[in-house]
Amino acid sequence: MKEKVIRAISKFNHELKLQGFKAFQIEEDTTDTRTYSRKEFYKICLTTGKSRIHYSDKTYEQEGTILFFGNPHIPYSWETISTTYVGYTILFSEEFFKNSERSESLQQSSFFKIGGTPVLKITDEQRTFLNTIFQKMITEQESDYVFKDELIRNYISLIIHESLKMEPSEGYEKNKNASSRLTSVFLELLERQFPIETTANPLQLRTAQQYAQHLNVHINYLNRAVKEVTGRSTTTHITERILTEAKALLQHTDWSISEIAYALGFDYPTYFNNFFKKVTGTNPTAFRLAEV
């Protein structure tokens, strides 16, 4: 009989969720992979080196020192090109930052928006100043100061406001094939919804319409692009990915059928049963028993 196991969440991710914030120095992280649920946290990086960043429908190639802003709701990937790469990273949840009266700056900042520019080129003078801010946050998170969270939020606000005063870098190139790039962004966003780690955070995007709204494009445009590039519909991709996750949860967790249904965004277990049987020809319970 196969042993049922609960999907492991890294210790780092668990601590990050509890605290809502974490700062660390990149060069001290080379031997320790920090695994976390990227879809839950904003990210700001101050890095020096050569890199290629894919963010929404744009690609940024940067060399030198940059400041990068990652939005948990926008898919992105990062390629490190240079052998030496140093700097700082901070991760924080929206809930952590919203406790600040200055949280409006986060929502209004163009750096975190899908149509904005998430990369800034940083001068040596600016890097020296920002290094100090990141170092202060690293020190403060380990302190016993009662109001350290508020102080850290002030530091984050300071970084955002200093960034708003700088000219955004436009060193990007749009994909020549708009349909190909939009499809790539859709597939990245789809994959970022998974794996489902806990029933406390159910799947949020389940329909083609929801993905189109999230990507700020018309549903017809998204459907045409995905069909043109992959030969399959947007809905087919979503259905297949949800089904893959459903099978994994049935095989490798001891969650009940109701818990799995809820985690995958179904309002009722019967809806999940009907979905699963329509696609596979069998129901979830029978599938689970057959895999034991």
Side-chain angles (χ1 to χ4, degrees):
M1 179 181 292
K2 291 185 179 179
E3 182 181 356
K4 300 293 183 181
V5 295
I6 299 296
R7 291 191 172 187
I9 301 176
S10 72
K11 180 181 179 182
F12 177 78
N13 189 80
H14 181 67
E15 293 175 351
L16 182 56
K17 278 189 174 183
L18 289 177
Q19 299 169 4
F21 170 85
K22 190 68 176 179
F24 55 90
Q25 197 165 358
I26 293 176
E27 55 260 46
E28 294 179 351
D29 192 43
T30 54
T31 59
D32 180 24
T33 301
R34 299 175 185 267
T35 305
Y36 65 97
S37 181
R38 192 173 68 179
K39 62 187 178 183
E40 297 182 51
F41 300 98
Y42 286 87
K43 181 177 187 177
I44 302 179
C45 294
L46 177 68
T47 60
T48 300
K50 188 175 182 180
S51 61
R52 183 181 297 115
I53 304 168
H54 305 286
Y55 189 91
S56 184
D57 63 341
K58 300 174 183 178
T59 296
Y60 303 80
E61 278 208 31
Q62 297 292 335
E63 187 168 8
T65 301
I66 63 168
L67 194 61
F68 170 77
F69 298 84
N71 185 327
H73 308 300
I74 300 175
Y76 62 86
S77 60
W78 192 305
E79 299 175 46
T80 300
I81 300 174
S82 58
T83 55
T84 302
Y85 211 82
V86 297
Y88 299 92
T89 294
I90 59 172
L91 301 165
F92 59 95
S93 66
E94 187 171 359
E95 182 179 0
F96 175 85
F97 197 74
K98 273 188 173 180
N99 287 325
S100 168
E101 294 179 356
R102 300 176 178 83
S103 62
E104 184 177 353
S105 62
L106 178 67
Q107 306 302 323
Q108 297 303 318
S109 171
S110 61
F111 307 115
F112 287 111
K113 293 182 178 179
I114 193 167
T117 303
V119 179
L120 284 176
K121 188 73 175 177
I122 303 299
T123 65
D124 288 341
E125 182 181 0
Q126 292 166 336
R127 178 169 62 97
T128 299
F129 173 75
L130 291 171
N131 276 346
T132 302
I133 303 302
F134 279 90
Q135 289 164 1
K136 286 180 179 294
M137 285 190 282
I138 290 175
T139 300
E140 203 57 54
Q141 70 184 353
E142 303 300 333
S143 76
D144 296 325
Y145 179 48
V146 177
F147 302 108
K148 68 178 183 181
D149 284 357
E150 184 59 31
L151 182 55
I152 289 171
R153 283 190 282 266
N154 287 339
Y155 285 140
I156 297 175
S157 292
L158 179 58
I159 292 174
I160 293 174
H161 284 293
E162 286 295 322
S163 302
L164 288 171
K165 288 158 53 177
M166 302 175 192
E167 285 292 325
S169 168
E170 292 297 337
Y172 65 86
E173 52 188 61
K174 292 188 177 180
N175 194 297
K176 293 181 180 179
N177 187 328
S179 294
S180 177
R181 188 56 187 160
L182 177 58
T183 300
S184 176
V185 172
F186 159 70
L187 293 175
E188 289 175 11
L189 180 58
L190 173 62
E191 192 58 37
R192 279 189 59 196
Q193 309 309 306
F194 305 94
I196 303 297
E197 299 167 332
T198 169
T199 55
N201 293 306
L203 185 65
Q204 297 299 310
L205 303 178
R206 290 190 59 250
T207 68
Q209 182 65 52
Q210 289 172 330
Y211 277 91
Q213 291 174 348
H214 204 83
L215 294 170
N216 291 330
V217 297
H218 194 279
I219 179 63
N220 292 341
Y221 179 49
L222 177 61
N223 284 336
R224 281 198 303 270
V226 173
K227 182 72 172 179
E228 175 188 335
V229 174
T230 70
R232 294 185 295 167
S233 70
T234 309
T235 299
T236 297
H237 284 284
I238 297 170
T239 297
E240 289 181 354
R241 188 59 185 87
I242 292 177
L243 180 64
T244 297
E245 191 70 8
K247 289 179 177 179
L249 293 173
L250 288 167
Q251 291 174 342
H252 304 302
T253 75
D254 59 0
W255 298 357
S256 68
I257 302 299
S258 295
E259 288 175 324
I260 292 175
Y262 176 77
L264 292 174
F266 293 89
D267 293 330
Y268 301 100
T270 52
Y271 292 176
F272 172 58
N273 285 336
N274 292 338
F275 162 83
F276 196 92
K277 188 169 185 179
K278 181 179 179 181
V279 179
T280 67
T282 187
N283 60 54
T285 300
F287 175 83
R288 170 174 271 178
L289 291 174
E291 294 297 313
V292 174

